[in-house]
Amino acid sequence: AWALGAANGVNDLEALTFANFICNEQGMDPISFGATVGAVMELYDMGVLTKEQLGIEAPFGSAKALTFFAEQVGKGQGFGKEIAMGSKRLTAKYGHPDLSMTVKGQEFPAYDSRGIQGMGLAYATSNRGACHLRGYTVASEVLGIPVKTDPLVTEGKPGLVKAFQDATAVFDSSGLCLFTSFAWTLQDVGPQLQAACEGDWSMENMNLVGERIWNLEKEFNLAAGLTKKDDSLPKRLTTEPAKTGPAKGLVNGLDKMLPEYYELRGWSKEGVPTAETRKRLGTAAIK
């Protein structure tokens, strides 16, 4: 409903259902597909892409174009081969990389980080790119779980994001569904792990385990060549203020949050775990 519909201005539920069915049948991620179609529609409205190239008129909001592209991508036909590259490669190929709403090459889920500041930091620092399943601060900033925080401010968000990321790492590694965390906390997970696994599953140790997991993933990314510049957001979200809604006039304050986040993590100003942090967590740089 969001990635294929609202994000692209399409309000035809039958078209959304059909496109989503194609995505499921063909093993396509609806979020990445929908975000890439959004980029195609914008390029079309700008005159960068034409009907002759696309095989169809594709203005923003076109249900017909959405379903047409779903079939084309699923079958690997026509311009569907281009869309299948994802928005980062596609927008770069056609000269407008800033139109790709991605972090580390992965398309954004449903939350505009100008209106939910913590999610902007969570997206930027996520070890696998823009992802709402690596630190779902929407729970706190919007739903008030476990406590309500103001989504429009940057204050306190580095600590909030770190706490959610570390806790999420524990949930994921336990085999439990992450969304049980809407009702459960680590205090509920601890006894389950204690009953099933050897070792110390106190709150203190679980928090340490989550932090260690996050740092190990970071070390992997550093070894793969990712740097501080990859802990970023699309230019649009940090320079173009939101036009409507409660966040009207706001951009994401990543520049304010990222230095404090690195400090809380025990990382250098360049986002690299310090020797002290590696020693404390029992981790090491990956070579």
Side-chain angles (χ1 to χ4, degrees):
W2 167 77
L4 303 178
N8 295 323
V10 177
N11 61 7
D12 184 330
L13 292 180
E14 290 189 8
L16 300 184
T17 302
F18 178 79
N20 192 66
F21 176 81
I22 295 296
C23 287
N24 289 338
E25 288 295 300
Q26 299 295 343
M28 295 152 50
D29 171 33
I31 292 177
S32 288
F33 170 71
T36 305
V37 168
V40 170
M41 288 177 170
E42 188 163 9
L43 288 167
Y44 176 84
D45 285 341
M46 293 168 59
V48 176
L49 295 175
T50 65
K51 176 183 177 181
E52 289 68 33
Q53 288 172 289
L54 301 177
I56 192 172
E57 293 183 354
F60 189 77
S62 172
K64 186 175 182 180
L66 175 73
T67 54
F68 175 79
F69 289 145
E71 290 190 290
Q72 290 281 288
V73 175
K75 295 176 180 177
Q77 296 177 346
F79 199 79
K81 295 178 182 179
E82 304 276 289
I83 296 174
M85 295 191 299
S87 67
K88 181 178 180 179
R89 295 181 180 91
L90 186 146
T91 56
K93 179 176 180 178
Y94 290 97
H96 293 273
D98 287 344
L99 298 187
S100 174
M101 296 297 102
T102 56
V103 172
K104 300 179 179 75
Q106 178 156 283
E107 283 75 14
F108 274 71
Y111 310 104
D112 188 328
S113 56
R114 294 171 294 190
I116 309 178
Q117 294 286 325
M119 281 307 294
L121 178 62
Y123 288 154
T125 58
S126 168
N127 288 322
R128 70 172 187 181
C131 179
H132 59 303
L133 299 178
R134 283 297 182 270
Y136 193 70
T137 65
V138 171
S140 172
E141 294 182 277
V142 177
L143 303 176
I145 301 171
V147 294
K148 183 70 171 72
T149 53
D150 186 345
L152 301 180
V153 304
T154 59
E155 291 79 7
K157 297 305 167 62
L160 183 72
V161 168
K162 178 182 180 299
F164 268 79
Q165 289 173 338
D166 292 348
T168 297
V170 176
F171 268 92
D172 283 344
S173 299
S174 72
L176 293 168
C177 172
L178 175 60
F179 291 118
T180 60
S181 62
F182 285 129
W184 287 347
T185 67
L186 290 183
Q187 289 181 324
D188 299 291
V189 176
Q192 298 179 62
L193 291 175
Q194 196 70 59
C197 306
E198 296 180 356
D200 171 18
W201 297 103
S202 63
M203 280 292 296
E204 181 181 3
N205 198 45
M206 281 193 294
N207 283 320
L208 187 66
V209 166
E211 187 179 6
R212 183 180 294 123
I213 291 169
W214 195 263
N215 276 263
L216 283 170
E217 292 176 351
K218 181 66 172 181
E219 297 285 5
F220 181 95
N221 281 355
L222 291 170
L226 276 69
T227 66
K228 179 182 178 180
K229 69 177 178 60
D230 297 293
D231 289 345
S232 62
L233 292 172
K235 183 179 179 181
R236 172 173 284 176
L237 296 177
T238 58
T239 61
E240 295 183 19
K243 297 178 180 179
T244 61
K248 183 177 180 180
L250 294 180
V251 296
N252 183 265
L254 181 63
D255 59 332
K256 301 181 185 72
M257 297 184 286
L258 191 60
E260 182 183 346
Y261 173 84
Y262 282 170
E263 185 177 354
L264 290 174
R265 280 270 175 220
W267 297 351
S268 72
K269 292 181 179 179
E270 295 302 310
V272 177
T274 64
E276 292 79 10
T277 297
R278 287 167 172 159
K279 181 178 180 180
R280 178 173 62 85
L281 296 176
T283 60
I286 297 175
K287 299 180 180 180

